[in-house]
Amino acid sequence: MSFTWTSQVVHWSQNPLVGPAPVRAENHQLSNHLDEAAALNRQGDMSDATVTIFHNPACGTSRNTLAAIRAAGIEPTVVEYLKAGWTKPQLKDLLGKLGLSARDVLRVRGTPAEELKLTDRKTTDEEILDAMVGHPILVERPIVITP
């Protein structure tokens, strides 16, 4: 399973077509990865349900990413994370697989991050994760999970 964080587009994969380690990539590589997923889908090697996007419909990047997934012929599971929220174990699992820290995915613009003093270098990842659970908007989006 691979994980793509489309704000910085980071792929993590066990899929031999993509590679075994985290790779920072450009946005066009998300399209290439979705093309591979769509090909697997057409071959019956995966179902649409294996693609999940943690989505904020108010975010242009998130809307564009969802459109790219659908343009690849895949109907993903859409999780509106502002409504569903996050759990700390869920965030830790995603971040571990992405090879990123909570600070790496902390959204500052348009959030209470500064007010909560999360941009202070003394703030720990645990404190940031706790804040993300309480304020889901603090997670930079979208996050796409693909095969």
Side-chain angles (χ1 to χ4, degrees), residues 3 10 16 21 29 40 42 46 54 60 64 69 75 77-79 83 107 114-115 128 131 142 146:
F3 296 80
V10 177
Q29 286 192 306
L40 289 172
R42 284 190 298 274
M46 66 174 257
F54 293 90
N64 291 338
I69 294 167
E75 185 54 42
T77 299
V78 178
V79 178
K83 292 179 183 177
R107 181 170 178 82
E114 289 179 343
E115 176 183 322
I128 294 171
T146 63

Tab-separated table of all heavy atoms in Angstrom, residues 3 10 16 21 29 40 42 46 54 60 64 69 75 77-79 83 107 114-115 128 131 142 146:
chain	number	residue	atom	x	y	z
A	3	PHE	N	1.206	5.632	0.220
A	3	PHE	CA	0.588	6.818	0.762
A	3	PHE	C	1.118	8.007	-0.009
A	3	PHE	O	2.308	8.091	-0.251
A	3	PHE	CB	0.932	6.970	2.243
A	3	PHE	CG	0.380	5.854	3.062
A	3	PHE	CD1	1.011	4.639	3.128
A	3	PHE	CD2	-0.817	6.016	3.734
A	3	PHE	CE1	0.494	3.607	3.875
A	3	PHE	CE2	-1.346	4.989	4.478
A	3	PHE	CZ	-0.696	3.788	4.551
A	10	VAL	N	4.387	12.968	-1.417
A	10	VAL	CA	5.312	11.968	-0.910
A	10	VAL	C	4.663	10.610	-1.118
A	10	VAL	O	3.520	10.400	-0.742
A	10	VAL	CB	5.590	12.181	0.590
A	10	VAL	CG1	6.491	11.095	1.129
A	10	VAL	CG2	6.216	13.547	0.816
A	16	PRO	N	5.899	-2.839	-6.200
A	16	PRO	CA	7.168	-2.824	-6.924
A	16	PRO	C	7.176	-1.860	-8.112
A	16	PRO	O	8.230	-1.463	-8.577
A	16	PRO	CB	7.341	-4.272	-7.392
A	16	PRO	CG	6.000	-4.897	-7.265
A	16	PRO	CD	5.253	-4.132	-6.222
A	21	ALA	N	10.579	2.628	-0.844
A	21	ALA	CA	10.954	3.636	0.147
A	21	ALA	C	10.257	4.959	-0.126
A	21	ALA	O	9.807	5.210	-1.238
A	21	ALA	CB	12.468	3.841	0.104
A	29	GLN	N	3.861	13.281	-10.679
A	29	GLN	CA	4.034	11.881	-10.335
A	29	GLN	C	2.803	11.304	-9.657
A	29	GLN	O	2.582	10.101	-9.735
A	29	GLN	CB	5.284	11.668	-9.485
A	29	GLN	CG	6.531	11.788	-10.333
A	29	GLN	CD	7.751	11.310	-9.620
A	29	GLN	OE1	8.033	11.765	-8.519
A	29	GLN	NE2	8.466	10.402	-10.227
A	40	LEU	N	-4.263	-1.161	-12.768
A	40	LEU	CA	-4.510	-2.315	-11.898
A	40	LEU	C	-6.004	-2.521	-11.708
A	40	LEU	O	-6.500	-3.650	-11.705
A	40	LEU	CB	-3.830	-2.118	-10.542
A	40	LEU	CG	-2.310	-2.205	-10.522
A	40	LEU	CD1	-1.779	-1.797	-9.151
A	40	LEU	CD2	-1.838	-3.604	-10.880
A	42	ARG	N	-8.421	-1.696	-13.819
A	42	ARG	CA	-8.987	-2.250	-15.061
A	42	ARG	C	-8.670	-3.733	-15.193
A	42	ARG	O	-9.443	-4.498	-15.737
A	42	ARG	CB	-8.461	-1.483	-16.267
A	42	ARG	CG	-9.109	-0.120	-16.449
A	42	ARG	CD	-8.740	0.505	-17.782
A	42	ARG	NE	-7.315	0.753	-17.911
A	42	ARG	CZ	-6.685	1.839	-17.475
A	42	ARG	NH1	-7.362	2.785	-16.865
A	42	ARG	NH2	-5.394	1.979	-17.647
A	46	MET	N	-7.229	-4.654	-8.306
A	46	MET	CA	-7.559	-3.852	-7.132
A	46	MET	C	-8.979	-3.340	-7.302
A	46	MET	O	-9.508	-3.285	-8.388
A	46	MET	CB	-6.590	-2.689	-6.946
A	46	MET	CG	-6.648	-1.628	-8.036
A	46	MET	SD	-5.626	-0.215	-7.668
A	46	MET	CE	-6.872	0.942	-7.139
A	54	PHE	N	-8.320	11.607	2.128
A	54	PHE	CA	-8.740	12.403	3.274
A	54	PHE	C	-8.886	13.808	2.718
A	54	PHE	O	-7.899	14.456	2.363
A	54	PHE	CB	-7.717	12.308	4.405
A	54	PHE	CG	-7.665	10.925	4.992
A	54	PHE	CD1	-6.797	9.974	4.492
A	54	PHE	CD2	-8.514	10.568	6.025
A	54	PHE	CE1	-6.768	8.693	5.016
A	54	PHE	CE2	-8.498	9.288	6.559
A	54	PHE	CZ	-7.621	8.353	6.059
A	60	GLY	N	-8.921	23.873	-2.615
A	60	GLY	CA	-8.738	23.698	-4.053
A	60	GLY	C	-7.796	22.554	-4.388
A	60	GLY	O	-8.051	21.790	-5.320
A	64	ASN	N	-8.859	19.344	-6.564
A	64	ASN	CA	-8.120	18.979	-7.773
A	64	ASN	C	-7.568	17.563	-7.692
A	64	ASN	O	-7.550	16.832	-8.685
A	64	ASN	CB	-6.986	19.971	-8.029
A	64	ASN	CG	-7.492	21.335	-8.434
A	64	ASN	OD1	-8.613	21.484	-8.918
A	64	ASN	ND2	-6.663	22.353	-8.231
A	69	ILE	N	-7.972	11.785	-9.317
A	69	ILE	CA	-8.236	10.377	-9.009
A	69	ILE	C	-9.401	9.879	-9.858
A	69	ILE	O	-9.324	8.818	-10.485
A	69	ILE	CB	-8.532	10.193	-7.505
A	69	ILE	CG1	-7.295	10.513	-6.662
A	69	ILE	CG2	-9.025	8.766	-7.223
A	69	ILE	CD1	-7.577	10.667	-5.178
A	75	GLU	N	-12.968	5.525	-8.423
A	75	GLU	CA	-13.879	6.184	-7.486
A	75	GLU	C	-13.385	5.859	-6.082
A	75	GLU	O	-13.562	4.749	-5.592
A	75	GLU	CB	-15.319	5.730	-7.680
A	75	GLU	CG	-16.308	6.486	-6.808
A	75	GLU	CD	-16.224	8.005	-6.954
A	75	GLU	OE1	-16.089	8.519	-8.085
A	75	GLU	OE2	-16.286	8.692	-5.906
A	77	THR	N	-12.684	6.075	-1.871
A	77	THR	CA	-13.397	6.329	-0.624
A	77	THR	C	-13.005	7.738	-0.204
A	77	THR	O	-11.817	8.052	-0.126
A	77	THR	CB	-12.979	5.314	0.460
A	77	THR	OG1	-13.309	4.009	0.002
A	77	THR	CG2	-13.665	5.610	1.784
A	78	VAL	N	-13.979	8.586	0.018
A	78	VAL	CA	-13.714	9.979	0.381
A	78	VAL	C	-14.033	10.156	1.863
A	78	VAL	O	-15.163	9.918	2.295
A	78	VAL	CB	-14.568	10.949	-0.470
A	78	VAL	CG1	-14.313	12.393	-0.041
A	78	VAL	CG2	-14.271	10.754	-1.953
A	79	VAL	N	-13.024	10.550	2.607
A	79	VAL	CA	-13.198	10.812	4.038
A	79	VAL	C	-13.065	12.318	4.238
A	79	VAL	O	-11.989	12.878	4.040
A	79	VAL	CB	-12.143	10.069	4.889
A	79	VAL	CG1	-12.314	10.411	6.364
A	79	VAL	CG2	-12.194	8.577	4.644
A	83	LYS	N	-15.090	16.551	9.190
A	83	LYS	CA	-16.281	15.993	9.832
A	83	LYS	C	-15.931	14.741	10.634
A	83	LYS	O	-16.393	14.567	11.753
A	83	LYS	CB	-17.335	15.624	8.783
A	83	LYS	CG	-17.938	16.798	8.075
A	83	LYS	CD	-18.949	16.328	7.039
A	83	LYS	CE	-19.524	17.488	6.245
A	83	LYS	NZ	-20.439	17.006	5.200
A	107	ARG	N	-0.524	22.335	9.261
A	107	ARG	CA	-1.000	23.466	8.461
A	107	ARG	C	-1.109	24.676	9.387
A	107	ARG	O	-1.730	24.609	10.443
A	107	ARG	CB	-2.353	23.161	7.841
A	107	ARG	CG	-2.871	24.310	6.995
A	107	ARG	CD	-4.083	23.909	6.191
A	107	ARG	NE	-4.588	25.028	5.424
A	107	ARG	CZ	-4.108	25.432	4.253
A	107	ARG	NH1	-3.091	24.791	3.720
A	107	ARG	NH2	-4.636	26.454	3.614
A	114	GLU	N	-0.812	28.984	15.229
A	114	GLU	CA	-0.003	29.979	15.940
A	114	GLU	C	-0.622	30.334	17.284
A	114	GLU	O	0.086	30.461	18.283
A	114	GLU	CB	0.202	31.212	15.064
A	114	GLU	CG	1.131	30.915	13.907
A	114	GLU	CD	1.372	32.087	12.987
A	114	GLU	OE1	0.593	33.073	13.022
A	114	GLU	OE2	2.343	32.017	12.219
A	115	GLU	N	-1.927	30.469	17.297
A	115	GLU	CA	-2.642	30.771	18.538
A	115	GLU	C	-2.398	29.688	19.595
A	115	GLU	O	-2.272	29.974	20.787
A	115	GLU	CB	-4.135	30.870	18.214
A	115	GLU	CG	-5.049	31.087	19.364
A	115	GLU	CD	-6.511	31.081	18.897
A	115	GLU	OE1	-6.797	31.598	17.800
A	115	GLU	OE2	-7.347	30.541	19.631
A	128	ILE	N	1.579	18.489	19.117
A	128	ILE	CA	0.993	18.816	17.809
A	128	ILE	C	-0.065	17.782	17.437
A	128	ILE	O	-1.156	18.135	16.981
A	128	ILE	CB	2.085	18.929	16.720
A	128	ILE	CG1	2.990	20.130	17.008
A	128	ILE	CG2	1.456	19.033	15.335
A	128	ILE	CD1	4.225	20.212	16.124
A	131	ALA	N	-3.201	18.360	19.312
A	131	ALA	CA	-3.921	19.500	18.748
A	131	ALA	C	-4.619	19.117	17.440
A	131	ALA	O	-5.747	19.556	17.178
A	131	ALA	CB	-2.961	20.664	18.523
A	142	PRO	N	-4.447	17.405	0.789
A	142	PRO	CA	-5.096	16.140	1.119
A	142	PRO	C	-4.073	15.038	1.356
A	142	PRO	O	-2.909	15.183	1.021
A	142	PRO	CB	-5.912	15.832	-0.138
A	142	PRO	CG	-5.076	16.419	-1.235
A	142	PRO	CD	-4.434	17.669	-0.653
A	146	THR	N	-3.164	4.931	-1.593
A	146	THR	CA	-3.336	4.153	-2.818
A	146	THR	C	-2.625	2.810	-2.686
A	146	THR	O	-1.771	2.653	-1.817
A	146	THR	CB	-2.796	4.900	-4.035
A	146	THR	OG1	-1.383	5.082	-3.877
A	146	THR	CG2	-3.461	6.247	-4.228
